[in-house]
């Protein structure tokens, strides 16, 4: 070694050291790395950000330390001084120090000749290196290797222990440690032996089905998907997830876990384990395509289209609705601007998937009456989806364009004017006609035929006006009654002339024709006056809308105000034109509308919204006082500032005569109804409970006999129209009769008994028609036997009822006598009213006169029956008379259309106000409800319905 170069000697010493220490050190470092990795995995498995941070930081520090040591060791190998210090110095401290000094001297001599000879310095260094004992170096290295081996063994044992506890935990921890965005990169198995079922939503009424695990499937939205499996490793927080939401697996108590997922949108489901905020998925995925519950499909026949209400006053709506699962509600929806109204058309039962129906919209619909802009009509349907909430489907729209305000009234008025012109032509023709003085029977026949022909033409014109639909309005009430009465008047006069074709008879016909024309004209003028007032009131509301829009514009809201003002002005303009067609008052008010619209237009042109608003409000106030501007004949008017005076005298008072007849008829019907109720109450008071109680014991025996008679009859449930079905109905009615007898209600018992007899008779007839078919033949035979027995019981019940009524009538004889006198007075009023309606300007239609005559006769019959003490018979004839009086009243009596609520109908000047003891309205209402509901045709339900009605009226 003396002849070797110093550097080579030092390198050899390093090699000997590394050969002994290096393997042990590397094994120890490897064990440290494994222990650190496994420990970091266990810490990271907690899954919290802190744990993952600590594990990552610790592992990074460990790796950095190992790398740093490797770099340091490499650098030390090139450092001769460090090698001498660490190897020679540790074996021989004095030799190590001398060697370091010699090395320093050699380096200085090599750099500076003045220090000494480099050769001598190098020789000195070589001698010192040669003195180093390689055996001692090896011994020292082995000691160091032993220490490294011990450390490596300890770290290896720690790493083995970390892995031996549960190797999968290390894998899971490392997977969690490497997670990004809460998702681990490596999929791991979590459950096996997987089973899946799908249970559709309850409202679909479908059974659950088994699914092939992890095979794509399509299911209705809201389906509950159940995933069941055996955990691969226990102690994991398993979840079922779609990548966003998740539901936990729970133990089913049988060694498996189960999770239930409610399906929303289409998704892919995977099992996963939750470690803190990190989710580790299983590779298997279940793709589920969600089938949504679609909105109902609504088809409206003819939609979309536009309808003008004047051209089609009746709009039929026919619809068909289908839904994939079930319907809940069908609505008719009307929209006009910001206004909307919904009307329920149907609520399909039992989750019906198809619904068809119809509805008819009329021009008189209240919604059309309240709007003046186009109306959007749709049919909308709601389904029964409880998962996402009910969904509405709607049809295409039918756009309904309403008429101008007052346009239907103007059309009706114009049609009646044409009818009046036809009557005028008839009068003119008869003025020109002369009764033939000569010519014999042929001339008289030709004259009569001509008169009949021209009168038929005039009548056809009047009937056409009366029967036509004028933009949703018809000629009703007072005008219709007056017109038909005058037509009957003309028929009577023409018939009289045919009997005696003389000049006097023709003059009489001429006078009657003139009277009819004047009466018709008076009625027409009255209708025009009432319609003009009604239309003016509606236009006043539109004028208020215009004023409100102008106020908005004045406050700076141009967007909302301009549209509203433009629409209101357009409606006012059209309505004013139509108003001007409604007679004298309409023409006067129409001119006022036109003048005020010009004022509004001038203010709009100058953007003077204050004066535009004032003009509109002034117009609204004027239209709400729809009187003539100036009066004649000493009468004042609105513009003159005078109070309203009487209407100008007409050539005929027909309109007022008809109105008075209507009021008299209404009053007669009201008084007669009160008298009818008074008789019924008198009879009710005369019935004594003790009479019923005395009858009840015997009635119970008869009730048992009735039940015994029908015991063998079939029970309900047979096919309708069969003998068995009719016999079952007879049995139910007979049992209802028995129940009524036991409860002391003989009148109901008789009614039910008669119904039972009819049903049993039907059963016999149907059984005979069925031939030898055994069930029908047996039902017919049993029905015949029961009918014979029931006939005896019914006869007894009828006789008992007759006795009860007779006894009650005897007790009420005094009261019935007074009622008889009052009934006679009412009959006299009916007679007088009929006679007054047979002639003159107040002539009534023939149909009304016939009903009044029949009502009078019924009142006379009731008068005689009441006088004789027959309370029930008299009250029955009273009800007949009341029904005839109600039928005598003309349809929508007193209503000419819009004028009904806003016109100038005269109120009765005198009316009797009953005191608190005589006002029987509530009692009568209660009696009618109990009779109507308690008299249901279903015997089994009669008592329940009656009890319900009594509870309702409390």
């Amino acid at each position: 070694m003396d002849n070797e170069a110093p550097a080579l000697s030092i390198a050899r010493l390093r090699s000997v050291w590394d050969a002994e220490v290096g393997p042990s050190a590397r094994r120890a470092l490897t064990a440290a790395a494994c222990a650190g990795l496994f420990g970091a995995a266990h810490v990271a498995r907690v899954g919290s950000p802190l744990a993952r941070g600590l594990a990552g930081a610790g592992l990074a520090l460990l790796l950095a330390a190992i790398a740093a040591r490797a770099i340091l060791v490499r650098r030390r190998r090139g450092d001769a001084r460090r090698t001498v210090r660490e190897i020679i110095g540790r074996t021989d401290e004095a030799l190590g120090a001398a060697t370091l000094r010699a090395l320093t001297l050699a380096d200085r001599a090599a750099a500076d000749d003045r220090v000494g000879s480099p050769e001598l310095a190098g020789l000195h260094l070589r001698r010192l290196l040669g003195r180093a004992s390689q055996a001692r170096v090896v011994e020292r290295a082995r000691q160091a290797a032993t220490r490294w081996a011990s450390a490596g063994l300890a770290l290896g044992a720690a790493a083995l222990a970390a892995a031996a506890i549960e190797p999968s935990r290390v894998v899971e921890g490392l997977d969690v440690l490497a997670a990004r965005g809460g998702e681990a990169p490596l999929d791991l198995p979590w459950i096996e032996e997987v089973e899946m079922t799908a249970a559709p939503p309850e409202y679909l009424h479908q059974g659950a089905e088994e699914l092939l695990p992890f095979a794509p499937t399509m299911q209705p939205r809201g389906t509950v998907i159940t995933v069941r499996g055996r955990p691969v490793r226990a102690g994991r927080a398993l979840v079922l997830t779609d990548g966003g939401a998740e539901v936990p697996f729970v133990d089913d108590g049988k060694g498996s876990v189960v999770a239930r997922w409610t399906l929303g949108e289409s998704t892919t489901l995977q099992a996963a384990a939750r470690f803190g905020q990190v989710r580790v998925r299983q590779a298997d995925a279940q793709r589920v395509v969600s089938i949504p519950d679609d909105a109902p499909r609504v088809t409206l026949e003819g939609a979309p289209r536009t309808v003008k209400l004047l051209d089609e006053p009746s709009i039929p709506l026919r619809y068909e609705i289908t839904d994939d699962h079930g319907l809940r509600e069908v609505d008719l929806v009307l929209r006009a601007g910001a206004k909307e109204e919904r009307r329920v058309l149907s609520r399909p039962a039992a989750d019906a998937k198809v619904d068809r129906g119809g509805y008819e919209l009329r021009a008189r619909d209240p919604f059309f009456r309240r709007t003046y802009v186009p109306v959007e009509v749709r049919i909308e349907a709601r389904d029964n989806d409880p998962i996402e909430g009910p969904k509405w489907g709607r049809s295409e729209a039918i756009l309904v364009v309403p008429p101008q305000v007052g346009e239907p009234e103007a059309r009706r008025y114009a049609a009646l004017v044409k009818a009046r012109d036809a009557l005028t032509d008839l009068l003119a023709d008869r003025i020109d006609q002369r009764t033939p003085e000569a010519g014999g029977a042929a001339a008289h026949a030709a004259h009569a035929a001509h008169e009949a022909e021209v009168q038929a033409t005039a009548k056809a014109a009047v009937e056409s006006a009366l029967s036509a639909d004028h933009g949703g309005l018809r000629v009703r009430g007072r005008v219709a009654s007056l017109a038909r009465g005058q037509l009957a008047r003309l028929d009577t006069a023409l018939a009289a002339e045919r009997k005696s074709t003389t000049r006097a008879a023709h003059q009489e016909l001429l006078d009657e024709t003139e009277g009819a024309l004047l009466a018709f004209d008076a009625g027409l003028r009255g209708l025009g006056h009432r319609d003009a007032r009604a239309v003016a009131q509606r236009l006043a509301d539109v004028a208020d809308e215009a004023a409100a829009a102008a106020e908005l514009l004045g406050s700076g809201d141009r967007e909302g105000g301009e549209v509203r003002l433009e629409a209101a002005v357009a409606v006012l303009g059209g309505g004013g034109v139509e108003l001007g067609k409604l007679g004298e008052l309409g023409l006067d008010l129409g001119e006022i509308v036109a003048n005020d619209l010009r004022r509004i237009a001038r203010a709009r042109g100058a953007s003077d919204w204050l004066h535009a608003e004032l003009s509109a409000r002034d117009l609204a106030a004027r239209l709400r006082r729809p009187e003539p501007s100036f009066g004649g004949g000493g009468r004042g008017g609105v513009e003159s500032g005078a109070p309203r005076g009487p209407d100008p005298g007409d050539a005929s008072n027909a309109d007022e005569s008809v109105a008075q007849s209507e009021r008299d008829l209404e009053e007669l019907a009201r008084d007669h109804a009160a008298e009818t109720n008074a008789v019924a109450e008198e009879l009710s008071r005369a019935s004594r409970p003790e009479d019923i109680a005395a009858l009840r014991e015997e009635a119970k025996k008869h009730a048992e006999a009735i039940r015994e008679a029908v015991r063998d009859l079939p029970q309900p449930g047979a096919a309708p129209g069969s003998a068995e079905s009719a016999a079952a109905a007879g049995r139910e009615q007979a049992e209802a009769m028995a129940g009524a007898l036991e409860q002391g209600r003989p009148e109901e018992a008789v009614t039910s008994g008669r119904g039972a007899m009819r049903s049993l008779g039907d059963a016999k007839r149907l059984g005979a028609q069925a031939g030898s078919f055994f069930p029908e033949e047996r039902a017919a035979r049993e029905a015949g036997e029961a009918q014979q027995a029931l006939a005896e019981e019914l006869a007894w019940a009828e006789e008992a009822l007759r006795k009860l009524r007779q006894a009650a009538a005897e007790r009420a004889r005094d009261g019935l006598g007074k009622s008889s006198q009052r009934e006679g007075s009412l009959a006299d009023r009916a007679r007088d009213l009929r006679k007054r309606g047979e002639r003159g300007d107040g002539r009534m239609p023939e149909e009304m006169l016939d009903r009044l005559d029949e009502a009078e006769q019924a009142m006379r019959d009731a008068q005689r029956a009441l006088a004789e003490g027959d309370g029930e018979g008299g009250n029955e004839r009273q009800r007949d008379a009341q029904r005839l009086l109600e039928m005598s009243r003309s349809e929508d009596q007193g209503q000419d259309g819009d004028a009904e609520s806003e016109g100038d109908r005269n109120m009765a000047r005198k009316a009797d106000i009953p005191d608190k003891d005589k006002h029987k309205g509530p009692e009568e209402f209660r009696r009618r409800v109990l009779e109507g509901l308690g008299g249901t045709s279903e015997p089994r339900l009669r008592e329940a319905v009656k009890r319900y009605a009594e509870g309702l009226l409390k």
Side-chain angles (χ1 to χ4, degrees):
M1 188 172 180
D2 293 340
N3 298 322
E4 295 177 350
L8 182 59
S9 299
I10 294 174
R12 182 169 294 173
L13 289 174
R14 170 59 65 183
S15 177
V16 171
W17 182 273
D18 288 343
E20 294 294 335
V21 176
S24 297
R26 285 192 295 272
R27 286 192 291 272
L29 291 175
T30 300
C34 291
L37 182 64
F38 295 166
H42 280 280
V43 174
R45 190 176 177 278
V46 175
S48 66
L50 177 60
R52 293 178 62 216
L54 291 175
L59 187 59
L61 288 175
L62 176 61
L63 294 177
I66 294 174
R69 179 186 178 281
I71 295 171
L72 182 61
V73 168
R74 185 173 300 166
R75 289 181 178 178
R76 287 177 177 178
R77 286 177 181 173
D79 187 352
R81 293 180 182 276
R82 179 174 287 276
T83 300
V84 171
R85 186 182 306 114
E86 291 181 352
I87 295 176
I88 300 176
R90 291 181 179 178
T91 59
D92 188 343
E93 185 175 352
L95 180 59
T99 305
L100 286 175
R101 288 194 298 271
L103 184 60
T104 302
L105 179 62
D107 291 338
R108 289 176 62 191
D112 187 359
D113 294 341
R114 292 175 299 176
V115 174
S117 171
E119 290 78 7
L120 291 176
L123 178 62
H124 178 62
L125 177 59
R126 284 193 298 272
R127 288 178 177 176
L128 289 176
L129 290 173
R131 290 170 56 189
S133 174
Q134 187 171 351
R136 295 184 64 185
V137 169
V138 171
E139 181 183 359
R140 185 69 177 178
R142 286 176 178 173
Q143 292 176 358
T146 301
R147 289 194 297 271
W148 277 107
S150 300
L153 181 61
L155 290 172
L160 182 61
I165 295 174
E166 191 174 349
S168 58
R169 297 173 72 91
V170 176
V171 178
E172 294 166 358
L174 294 177
D175 204 10
V176 172
L177 183 60
R180 293 293 180 270
E183 296 288 343
L186 179 63
D187 294 338
L188 298 175
W190 299 114
I191 57 174
E192 57 189 4
E193 300 176 10
V194 177
E195 298 176 358
M196 292 187 184
T197 58
E202 189 68 27
Y203 78 102
L204 299 184
H205 307 296
Q206 299 176 5
E209 64 170 314
E210 292 188 2
L211 301 180
L212 183 62
F214 310 118
T217 183
M218 300 176 66
Q219 298 294 332
R221 187 162 297 175
T223 296
V224 177
I225 299 175
T226 302
V227 180
R228 187 184 306 273
R230 187 174 61 82
V232 175
R233 290 175 293 278
R236 272 63 172 176
L238 301 182
V239 296
L240 185 63
T241 180
D242 64 350
E246 59 186 37
V247 294
F249 279 92
V250 295
D251 194 340
D252 66 352
K254 299 178 181 179
S256 297
V257 291
V258 61
R260 292 177 174 84
W261 182 275
T262 301
L263 182 61
E265 298 291 337
S266 298
T267 188
T268 299
L269 299 178
Q270 290 179 280
R274 167 65 66 180
F275 297 94
Q277 297 184 8
V278 177
R279 189 166 49 206
V280 183
R281 301 193 195 191
Q282 183 166 321
D284 302 313
Q286 175 67 56
R287 177 63 181 170
V288 186
V289 177
S290 176
I291 305 174
D293 187 346
D294 295 332
R297 293 171 291 280
V298 186
T299 302
L300 178 59
E301 185 177 307
R305 66 187 178 107
T306 300
V307 175
K308 290 187 176 181
L309 206 54
L310 277 178
D311 299 334
E312 296 186 44
S314 177
I315 306 172
L317 305 175
R318 297 181 181 86
Y319 61 86
E320 179 175 356
I321 304 168
T322 59
D323 189 63
D324 47 1
H325 297 305
L327 296 167
R328 274 289 182 264
E329 183 177 317
V330 180
D331 289 358
L332 169 67
V333 182
L334 305 175
R335 292 188 183 91
K339 292 190 293 185
E340 177 181 293
E341 181 176 310
R342 306 183 76 93
R343 301 175 187 174
V344 177
L345 298 181
S346 70
R347 288 190 172 93
D351 295 329
K353 297 180 181 180
V354 179
D355 189 62
R356 299 180 182 89
Y359 189 85
E360 187 174 16
L361 276 175
R362 296 183 178 274
R364 305 292 297 167
D365 191 279
F367 190 85
F368 293 149
R369 298 280 304 278
R370 297 193 302 268
T371 186
Y372 311 108
V373 298
V375 178
E376 187 182 82
V377 179
R378 295 181 187 269
I379 301 295
E380 298 188 3
R382 177 169 61 89
D383 68 8
N384 62 348
D385 184 2
I387 305 302
E388 296 180 310
K391 293 184 288 294
W392 287 90
R394 64 179 190 171
S395 69
E396 295 288 345
I398 294 179
L399 191 65
V400 180
V401 181
Q404 295 285 354
V405 179
E407 190 172 359
E409 289 84 353
R411 285 195 175 193
R412 180 174 64 180
Y413 187 84
L416 290 174
V417 168
K418 289 183 179 180
R420 182 189 63 185
D421 292 343
L423 292 176
T424 304
D425 293 340
L426 174 63
L427 178 61
D429 183 89
R430 286 177 173 169
I431 291 175
D432 294 337
Q433 286 289 319
R434 293 291 182 267
T435 303
E437 297 295 337
H444 288 291
H447 174 76
H450 175 76
E451 291 292 351
E453 180 182 356
V454 294
Q455 181 160 312
T457 302
K459 285 185 61 178
V462 175
E463 287 292 349
S464 176
L466 295 180
S467 61
D469 188 290
H470 310 285
L473 286 181
R474 292 186 177 273
V475 181
R476 297 179 178 178
R478 184 185 309 175
V479 175
S481 178
L482 185 150
R484 291 194 169 90
Q486 298 310 310
L487 292 181
R489 177 182 183 182
L490 289 176
D491 289 340
T492 302
L494 182 60
E497 192 199 34
R498 284 179 176 175
K499 294 179 181 178
S500 175
T501 312
T502 62
R503 182 171 297 176
H506 183 72
Q507 184 61 43
E508 181 65 23
L509 175 63
L510 184 63
D511 292 342
E512 288 296 302
T513 303
E514 182 180 5
L517 173 61
L518 293 175
F520 190 89
D521 180 68
L524 176 59
R525 294 179 63 190
L527 175 63
H529 188 82
R530 292 189 293 274
D531 279 351
R533 291 173 60 85
V535 171
Q537 295 285 353
R538 299 211 305 272
L539 286 177
D541 295 336
V542 182
D544 281 336
E545 171 67 13
E551 185 177 7
L552 281 178
L553 287 167
S555 63
D557 186 0
R558 295 190 62 84
E559 182 177 355
E562 190 66 42
V563 174
R564 290 175 60 182
L565 181 59
E566 184 64 33
V569 167
V571 173
L572 284 171
V577 172
E578 301 302 327
L579 182 59
K581 301 175 183 178
L582 295 173
E584 298 173 358
L585 179 60
L587 180 61
D588 182 12
L589 296 175
E591 291 177 351
I592 292 173
V593 172
N595 291 334
D596 281 343
L597 282 177
R598 284 191 285 270
R599 292 172 56 195
I600 294 173
R602 287 195 298 269
R604 289 180 67 188
S607 297
D608 186 355
W609 306 118
L610 175 61
H611 284 87
E613 177 188 353
L614 293 176
S615 299
R617 296 201 185 280
D618 179 65
L619 175 59
R622 178 64 182 86
L623 290 175
R624 285 197 171 88
R625 195 179 177 191
E627 307 297 340
S629 298
F630 295 95
R635 294 184 307 111
V638 173
E639 308 304 332
S640 67
R644 179 185 177 188
D647 293 335
D650 291 328
S652 172
N653 64 345
D655 189 57
E656 179 55 35
S657 298
V658 173
Q660 184 60 47
S661 296
E662 289 177 349
R663 289 193 292 271
D664 291 345
L665 179 56
E666 185 175 356
E667 185 177 353
L668 174 61
R670 184 174 61 249
D671 293 346
H672 188 266
E675 185 59 37
T676 302
N677 295 336
V679 171
E681 291 173 4
E682 183 71 26
L683 293 174
S684 178
R685 287 194 298 270
S687 298
R688 293 182 178 177
E690 51 266 27
D691 294 341
I692 300 295
L695 181 68
R696 187 170 295 174
E697 289 301 322
E698 187 177 359
K700 289 182 179 180
K701 299 178 182 179
H702 288 276
E704 289 299 325
I706 292 171
R707 292 193 177 96
E708 181 65 24
V710 300
R711 183 183 59 185
D712 296 332
L713 291 179
Q715 294 287 347
S722 64
E724 288 184 299
S725 176
R731 174 176 183 159
E732 290 184 327
Q733 292 168 323
E735 290 175 347
M737 176 185 179
L741 286 176
E742 288 178 335
Q743 296 175 16
R745 297 196 302 272
E747 185 173 355
E748 290 184 18
V750 169
T751 302
S752 298
R754 290 170 179 170
M757 291 293 289
R758 287 193 297 270
S759 297
L760 294 175
D762 292 341
K764 290 174 60 178
R765 176 178 54 81
L766 293 170
Q769 294 174 355
S772 59
F773 185 57
F774 175 70
E776 294 291 276
E777 181 184 3
R778 183 183 62 185
R781 184 179 65 256
E782 293 173 348
E785 296 172 357
Q787 190 180 34
Q788 292 179 2
L790 187 63
E792 299 177 2
E793 304 302 330
L794 178 60
W796 177 86
E798 289 175 339
E799 178 63 21
L801 179 61
R802 186 191 65 77
K803 290 179 180 179
L804 287 175
R805 287 178 172 175
Q806 184 176 4
E810 288 296 328
R811 286 190 289 270
R813 180 173 291 276
D814 292 341
L816 294 179
K818 295 177 182 178
S819 295
S820 174
Q821 297 175 5
R822 292 193 293 269
E823 189 71 16
S825 300
L826 293 171
D828 293 339
R829 288 170 60 184
R831 178 198 60 202
D832 296 342
L833 181 60
R834 176 178 56 80
K835 289 183 176 180
R836 192 166 70 245
E838 290 177 344
R839 61 183 182 275
D841 293 346
R843 174 68 183 250
M844 295 179 181
E846 288 297 330
E847 184 180 5
M848 186 180 296
L849 292 173
D850 291 343
R851 287 174 178 168
L852 276 175
D853 183 63
E854 294 174 9
E856 180 193 354
Q857 294 304 320
M859 291 180 192
R860 300 294 182 192
D861 294 343
Q863 178 187 7
R864 287 190 292 271
L866 293 174
E868 294 170 0
D870 184 6
E872 291 294 334
N875 196 233
E876 181 65 28
R877 292 302 289 156
Q878 280 183 313
R879 287 193 287 269
D880 293 341
Q882 183 64 29
R883 184 176 64 256
L884 289 166
L885 287 176
E886 296 292 342
M887 294 171 63
S888 299
R889 300 171 65 188
S890 58
E891 182 182 4
D892 297 331
Q893 181 170 321
Q895 299 182 20
D896 297 320
D898 294 343
E900 184 271 331
S901 60
E902 298 158 327
D904 56 345
R905 293 183 62 191
N906 292 327
M907 184 179 294
R909 297 296 193 272
K910 296 190 299 180
D912 294 332
I913 301 176
D915 59 28
K916 63 182 179 65
D917 296 325
K918 294 183 179 180
H919 180 51
K920 303 299 182 182
E923 289 81 358
E924 171 59 19
F925 171 73
R926 183 178 186 275
R927 185 184 66 81
R928 291 200 308 271
V929 171
L930 290 176
E931 288 180 355
L933 292 179
T936 175
S937 60
E938 178 60 54
R940 293 178 300 173
L941 302 179
R942 180 178 291 117
E943 291 304 317
V945 172
K946 188 169 184 178
R947 287 194 298 272
Y948 168 76
E950 290 174 344
L952 185 67
L953 291 171
K954 289 179 182 179

